[in-house]
């Protein structure tokens, strides 16, 4: 049973987007991001683990609307729309596919990206539609710093079933 809980938690942690690593302003042109996350997950069964995941992102836009694709275990397709200077609405769809059917299904996330200077915050909600027909909700809050071609952020993801996920993420961003 303990092995099953460990494998399930490992897959759960990898399915949820851990890193935001996007600035509040939509990109103008194209941008490639390379980075990674350290993720610490604790479960209601008092089991926890630390995991490292690479991050790859690509974004293109006109400065007011951005389309983005990122991969951190599963692919995430997103769109970001500027609402005001330093404030954007960001939404995405992650396709979580794993060998375990109960840990597969699309994950929709919607959040804000708000920034002042180099600092930004991103509160967001994730809704997971499992392949087994039930829906789960998760809440995420991220605080980040981005200057030039580098970003560093920390975040927390809370699940209704007692899941706690903390992440520390960083990336290098290259304009194309």
């Amino acid at each position: 049973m303990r092995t099953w809980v460990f494998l399930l938690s490992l897959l759960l942690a990898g399915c949820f987007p851990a890193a935001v690593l996007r600035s509040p302003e939509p990109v103008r042109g194209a941008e490639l991001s390379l980075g990674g996350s350290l993720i610490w997950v604790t479960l209601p069964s008092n089991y926890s683990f630390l995991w490292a995941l690479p991050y790859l992102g690509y974004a293109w836009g006109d400065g007011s609307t951005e389309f983005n694709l990122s991969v951190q275990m599963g692919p995430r397709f997103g769109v970001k729309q500027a609402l005001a200077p330093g404030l954007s609405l960001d939404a995405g769809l992650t396709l979580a596919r794993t060998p375990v059917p109960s840990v597969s299904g699309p994950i929709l996330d919607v959040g804000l990206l708000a920034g002042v200077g180099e600092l930004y915050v991103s509160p967001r909600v994730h809704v997971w539609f499992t392949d087994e027909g039930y829906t789960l909700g998760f809440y995420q809050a991220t605080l980040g710093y981005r200057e030039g071609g580098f970003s560093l952020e920390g975040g927390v993801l809370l699940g209704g079933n007692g899941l706690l996920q903390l992440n520390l993420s960083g990336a290098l961003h290259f304009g194309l």
Side-chain angles (χ1 to χ4, degrees), residues 70-128:
S70 60
V71 178
Q72 191 164 39
M73 195 67 166
R76 178 190 183 272
F77 305 94
V79 63
K80 180 170 46 172
Q81 179 64 50
L83 301 175
L87 179 65
S88 292
L89 180 64
D90 185 43
L93 176 67
T94 301
L95 301 177
R97 290 285 156 223
T98 69
V100 180
S102 62
V103 190
S104 293
I107 302 168
L108 177 65
D109 69 275
V110 178
L112 292 174
L113 275 161
V116 175
E118 289 84 22
L119 294 177
Y120 62 90
V121 296
S122 181
R124 64 187 55 236
V125 175
H126 300 267
V127 180
W128 180 22

Side-chain angles (χ1 to χ4, degrees), residues 24-160:
E25 302 293 339
V27 299
R28 183 176 304 279
E31 179 180 88
L32 178 67
S33 301
L34 301 171
S37 298
L38 285 176
I39 302 169
W40 179 67
V41 177
T42 185
L43 299 169
S45 60
N46 293 326
Y47 187 77
S48 63
F49 62 92
L50 182 67
W51 200 19
L53 283 176
Y55 176 89
L56 174 64
Y58 179 75
W60 65 98
D62 62 6
S64 65
T65 302
E66 171 187 307
F67 298 95
N68 50 67
L69 169 64
S70 60
V71 178
Q72 191 164 39
M73 195 67 166
R76 178 190 183 272
F77 305 94
V79 63
K80 180 170 46 172
Q81 179 64 50
L83 301 175
L87 179 65
S88 292
L89 180 64
D90 185 43
L93 176 67
T94 301
L95 301 177
R97 290 285 156 223
T98 69
V100 180
S102 62
V103 190
S104 293
I107 302 168
L108 177 65
D109 69 275
V110 178
L112 292 174
L113 275 161
V116 175
E118 289 84 22
L119 294 177
Y120 62 90
V121 296
S122 181
R124 64 187 55 236
V125 175
H126 300 267
V127 180
W128 180 22
F129 303 96
T130 69
D131 283 349
E132 293 191 344
Y134 54 93
T135 305
L136 298 171
F138 297 86
Y139 306 97
Q140 180 179 2
T142 301
L143 174 64
Y145 175 83
R146 179 169 175 157
E147 184 174 8
F150 174 75
S151 61
L152 181 65
E153 64 184 34
V156 60
L157 183 119
L158 302 170

